[in-house]
Amino acid sequence: MNGGFSLARVFAMLGKEFIQMRRDRLTLGMLIGIPLMQLFLFGFAINMVPRHLATVVSISDPGPFSDSIVAALANSSYFDVVKATNSPQEARRMLADGSASFAVEIPANFSRDLVRGATPELLVEADATDPAAGSYALAAIPNLVSTGLRNDLKGPLASRAFAAPPVNVVVHQLYNPENITQYNIVPGLLGVILTMTMVMATSIALTRERERGTYENLLAMPTRPVEIMIGKITPNIFVGAFQSALILTVAKFVFHVPMIGSFGLLATTAMIYITALLAVGYTISTVAQNQMQAMQMTFFFFLPSIMLSGFIFPFHGMPQWAQWIGEVMPITHFLRIVRGILLKGDGFGEIWPDVWPMILFLFVAGTIAVRRFRRTLD
Amino acid sequence: MSTHQNAIDVRGLTKHFGKKTAVNNIDIAVPEGQVWGFLGPNGSGKTTTIRMLCGLLNADAGEGTCLGYDFRSQSEQIKRETGYMTQRFSFWEDLSIRENLDFVAEVYGLPRRRALVKQTLEKLGLESRQNQLAGELSGGWKQRLALAACTLHSPKLLLLDEPTAGVDPKARRDFWDEIHMLSGQGITVLVSTHYMDEAERCDRIVYISYGDIVARGTVSEIIAQSGLVTFTIAGDDARQLAGRLRGLPGVVFVAFFGAVLHVSGYDRTLLEKALAPYRADPGLTIGETTPSLEDVFIQLQEKTGGANV
Ligand SMILES: Nc1ncnc2c1ncn2[C@@H]1O[C@H](COP(=O)(O)OP(=O)(O)O)[C@@H](O)[C@H]1O
Ligand SMILES: [Mg+2]
């Protein structure tokens, strides 16, 4: 009876923790509120890649080429061609008074230069009061123009259709994120939100007991470190599962993220990921003397997690050392798993290379947490 | 169980915090079933000593037993049979009274838990308030709840750390009745306190100052050991006298007990000399008394106070 692990004591801890969690409305509200807030902020920020921007086209050189360019712009969802004019002055005026966000100018001799094999300039002026808003549309222009002109570049001009761009569009060149961005971001948010809330929730587990003076009482009783840890972590596993369900529901029904792969596989890996995060949080709580310290340490873990995981920067674009750190972080693997399962329909075989590092991480973090746990107040 | 005589029997107990010595080489031997008072000014090492006894702090040096178990290596066993009431209320304020008791009972694996908790609530008179959060209780009730919770598992040894601080006199009296009742059942109690009346209710007293035990024994032994001579001065003019007597040769300390001034020192002739000028004053009555425990403690505090800062 003395000494060993006791399931009864684990249940005692669990009962206590669930009651305390239920009573702590603020924290509980935050654990549900933060994910929703982040999801909608991030999700809609990405969703609001501005489309249907009012555009005026000034044509100093009417002809089939200009018609094609106008048609290409009008057909893309980025631009609404509100007016085609032959007066560049009018176009500029519309830009100035805000009735158009873009002015596209097809200069004189455009067709002649194009046919001769020169590379005429297509002048794009953008309302720069919100530079970010137009950047996606701007980035799309060269492609739209090339595609639009392809039909016109026939016969003797055919060689130009697929060669270097026939037209020099004077805008900044950005990579084109059309289509995939949102699908990538929302599943990524699952990993990021869990990292933040799960680590934060457990990082104060023991710290709060310490601050309130109840830690001494807990230590004076015959509770063992592992029992306390299980008692502290388990309620948060439920919270994490609930958060995941919430995020995936919103992802599916609000952001229409495709979900191709197995839900069971996703749920299982999410559990491993959540538990690994809780072990990190619990380790923090064995060290932190007060809740302020716990928060600081949480962010110390959180920042590299989102920066080096491939969530913000493309993983393989990072320097080697950053990739190594990224590989250690469970979020890096979880992001790959979630995207793999949701978007590509990956099965167990495909995700295993990213599953075992998470399990290893969980094991190491759990061991450190139990080791770090002090049975005395020293 | 072994046939040990002392519930607590430790020697050379020492604890450092950094460079500071909180507890310095102290010996305590408390026979089974007795109530011992643990006294000393704030920061003298009482809490630290109690924590070492129940395994909450590792001692830097010392050996011995609690309840027959080696206090350094068998703290798990000691914890099972010891009730420790912390200086600050340390039950869960966001759990109800009932939930706190329930948790304790479950952690100790006590049989017939529901009945036991119900019975305890009845005994406390808290049955009707069992669903109230512990944090909403007044100081006196918190202390009663804490005592009930830390005796729930029928410990053999009770370590009480300033259990009555900030509690009203009636509640203090009830609390001590409870302690004597427990002691009557054979439980050994070590209780730290600042109150003289509580000290006088103990079988033995240990007085600790800056980590050193400076006095121990029964109340009368401690008074006798002190070697103190105390004169009393009563009367309307006594108030003005305190300042004038302080610092005179032979006067160790001057303190009021109600309206009566106690003038204490070690050397009777010097004290007589200091008081001689006031003998003739018709407004003053000068007499001699046995030093009270408080006189002795004030003296101990003055004597050791500056030594170790
Ligand atoms: N955890 C600790 N870290 C550093 N110093 C401590 C710690 N606990 C107690 N002390 C110091 O040890 C001394 C004894 O403290 P304590 O045992 O609490 O005294 P008491 O209970 O008699 O008031 C004090 O000077 C206190 O500041
Ligand atoms: Mg103390």
Side-chain angles (χ1 to χ4, degrees), chain B residues 270-292:
Chain B
L270 280 177
L271 272 181
E272 297 270 17
K273 216 165 148 190
L275 292 176
Y278 307 103
R279 291 261 183 213
D281 192 329
L284 293 173
T285 321
I286 298 184
E288 192 177 343
T289 181
T290 324
S292 68

Side-chain angles (χ1 to χ4, degrees), chain A residues 243-259:
Chain A
Q243 282 185 347
S244 308
L246 194 68
I247 294 166
L248 289 175
T249 307
V250 174
K252 184 166 173 63
F253 295 105
V254 178
F255 298 112
H256 308 292
V257 173
M259 299 194 179

Side-chain angles (χ1 to χ4, degrees), chain A residues 377-378, chain B residues 15-18 20-23 38-51 57 87 161-162 192 194 208 210-211:
Chain A
L377 298 167
D378 284 273
Chain B
K15 180 74 187 177
H16 307 284
F17 291 113
K20 180 176 196 139
T21 305
V23 173
F38 200 11
L39 284 94
N42 286 328
S44 55
K46 302 182 295 295
T47 301
T48 306
T49 304
I50 291 175
R51 283 175 173 165
L57 282 175
Q87 182 168 350
D161 197 359
E162 296 190 29
S192 77
H194 287 299
I208 181 175
Y210 293 97

Side-chain angles (χ1 to χ4, degrees), chain A residues 2 23 209 216 377-378, chain B residues 15 51 56 80 84 94:
Chain A
N2 268 355
R23 300 237 162 97
E209 301 259 2
E216 187 170 8
L377 298 167
D378 284 273
Chain B
K15 180 74 187 177
R51 283 175 173 165
L56 290 179
R80 289 208 142 266
Y84 170 39
D94 50 349

Side-chain angles (χ1 to χ4, degrees), chain A residues 147-211:
Chain A
T147 318
L149 289 176
R150 201 163 287 157
N151 285 333
D152 297 321
L153 297 169
K154 280 186 278 224
L157 298 174
S159 62
R160 302 222 48 206
F162 294 96
V167 173
N168 182 20
V169 179
V170 193
V171 288
H172 297 290
Q173 189 73 40
L174 298 176
Y175 83 106
N176 175 10
E178 202 174 14
N179 285 335
I180 56 162
T181 313
Q182 198 170 24
Y183 292 168
N184 248 339
I185 289 283
V186 174
L189 275 178
L190 177 61
V192 171
I193 291 170
L194 285 174
T195 294
M196 181 155 169
T197 54
M198 291 293 96
V199 176
M200 199 155 72
T202 34
S203 71
I204 54 170
L206 294 175
T207 313
R208 194 184 293 185
E209 301 259 2
R210 212 174 273 133
E211 277 188 346

Side-chain angles (χ1 to χ4, degrees), chain A residues 1-3 6 8-9 11-13 15-16 19-20 22-24 208-224 375-378, chain B residues 15 17 47 51 54-58 60 69 76-77 79-80 82 84 86-96 99 103-104 106-109 131 133:
Chain A
M1 170 162 186
N2 268 355
S6 151
R9 285 198 296 267
F11 279 117
M13 278 305 293
K16 164 180 165 299
I19 294 171
Q20 288 184 300
R22 207 181 63 212
R23 300 237 162 97
D24 188 1
R208 194 184 293 185
E209 301 259 2
R210 212 174 273 133
E211 277 188 346
R212 294 181 180 174
T214 53
Y215 191 59
E216 187 170 8
N217 208 340
L218 204 56
L219 289 186
M221 294 190 215
T223 34
R224 325 216 111 235
R375 285 153 186 258
T376 64
L377 298 167
D378 284 273
Chain B
K15 180 74 187 177
F17 291 113
T47 301
R51 283 175 173 165
C54 60
L56 290 179
L57 282 175
N58 289 316
D60 293 327
Y69 300 111
E76 294 305 314
Q77 284 92 327
K79 280 179 193 175
R80 289 208 142 266
T82 302
Y84 170 39
T86 53
Q87 182 168 350
R88 184 179 146 196
F89 182 71
S90 64
F91 285 87
W92 289 268
E93 303 207 337
D94 50 349
L95 295 186
S96 72
E99 287 158 353
F103 174 66
V104 174
E106 201 173 358
V107 162
Y108 281 98
N131 292 323
L133 295 187

Side-chain angles (χ1 to χ4, degrees), chain A residues 17-318:
Chain A
E17 294 300 325
F18 271 115
I19 294 171
Q20 288 184 300
M21 176 182 273
R22 207 181 63 212
R23 300 237 162 97
D24 188 1
R25 290 282 153 81
L26 186 69
T27 306
L28 202 57
M30 254 171 48
L31 286 178
I32 296 167
I34 288 179
L36 280 182
M37 194 183 79
Q38 279 192 328
L39 194 58
F40 280 100
L41 283 182
F42 270 89
F44 279 123
I46 302 302
N47 199 19
M48 286 194 310
V49 166
R51 289 172 196 274
H52 306 291
L53 299 164
T55 304
V56 52
V57 187
S58 70
I59 304 166
S60 303
D61 180 24
F65 290 127
S66 14
D67 289 348
S68 296
I69 290 174
V70 172
L73 292 177
N75 285 341
S76 94
S77 58
Y78 286 122
F79 304 99
D80 276 351
V81 178
V82 291
K83 184 153 183 115
T85 169
N86 54 13
S87 150
Q89 288 77 13
E90 185 181 9
R92 212 150 290 140
R93 189 184 51 73
M94 286 178 71
L95 206 58
D97 70 16
S99 51
S101 308
F102 282 97
V104 177
E105 187 180 340
I106 298 173
N109 302 330
F110 183 84
S111 312
R112 192 198 63 196
D113 290 349
L114 194 64
V115 171
R116 280 186 185 167
T119 309
E121 285 192 345
L122 188 69
L123 204 69
V124 179
E125 288 175 311
D127 176 355
T129 41
D130 181 4
S135 62
Y136 290 99
L138 277 177
I141 288 182
N143 220 355
L144 288 172
V145 172
S146 314
T147 318
L149 289 176
R150 201 163 287 157
N151 285 333
D152 297 321
L153 297 169
K154 280 186 278 224
L157 298 174
S159 62
R160 302 222 48 206
F162 294 96
V167 173
N168 182 20
V169 179
V170 193
V171 288
H172 297 290
Q173 189 73 40
L174 298 176
Y175 83 106
N176 175 10
E178 202 174 14
N179 285 335
I180 56 162
T181 313
Q182 198 170 24
Y183 292 168
N184 248 339
I185 289 283
V186 174
L189 275 178
L190 177 61
V192 171
I193 291 170
L194 285 174
T195 294
M196 181 155 169
T197 54
M198 291 293 96
V199 176
M200 199 155 72
T202 34
S203 71
I204 54 170
L206 294 175
T207 313
R208 194 184 293 185
E209 301 259 2
R210 212 174 273 133
E211 277 188 346
R212 294 181 180 174
T214 53
Y215 191 59
E216 187 170 8
N217 208 340
L218 204 56
L219 289 186
M221 294 190 215
T223 34
R224 325 216 111 235
V226 183
E227 295 158 4
I228 295 176
M229 181 166 100
I230 296 175
K232 291 276 178 193
I233 280 183
T234 310
N236 286 311
I237 293 184
F238 284 91
V239 173
F242 179 77
Q243 282 185 347
S244 308
L246 194 68
I247 294 166
L248 289 175
T249 307
V250 174
K252 184 166 173 63
F253 295 105
V254 178
F255 298 112
H256 308 292
V257 173
M259 299 194 179
I260 302 171
S262 149
F263 180 75
L265 196 58
L266 183 62
T268 312
T269 45
M271 281 299 135
I272 298 171
Y273 177 61
I274 288 169
T275 316
L277 294 175
L278 293 176
V280 173
Y282 193 77
T283 307
I284 290 177
S285 84
T286 60
V287 183
Q289 289 301 315
N290 52 53
Q291 298 195 29
M292 188 65 191
Q293 283 183 7
M295 287 302 138
Q296 285 168 342
M297 286 190 246
T298 299
F299 275 91
F300 189 75
F301 178 77
F302 181 66
L303 283 181
S305 285
I306 59 165
M307 300 303 252
L308 306 180
S309 61
F311 176 71
I312 289 190
F313 307 117
F315 191 80
H316 291 289
M318 297 191 306

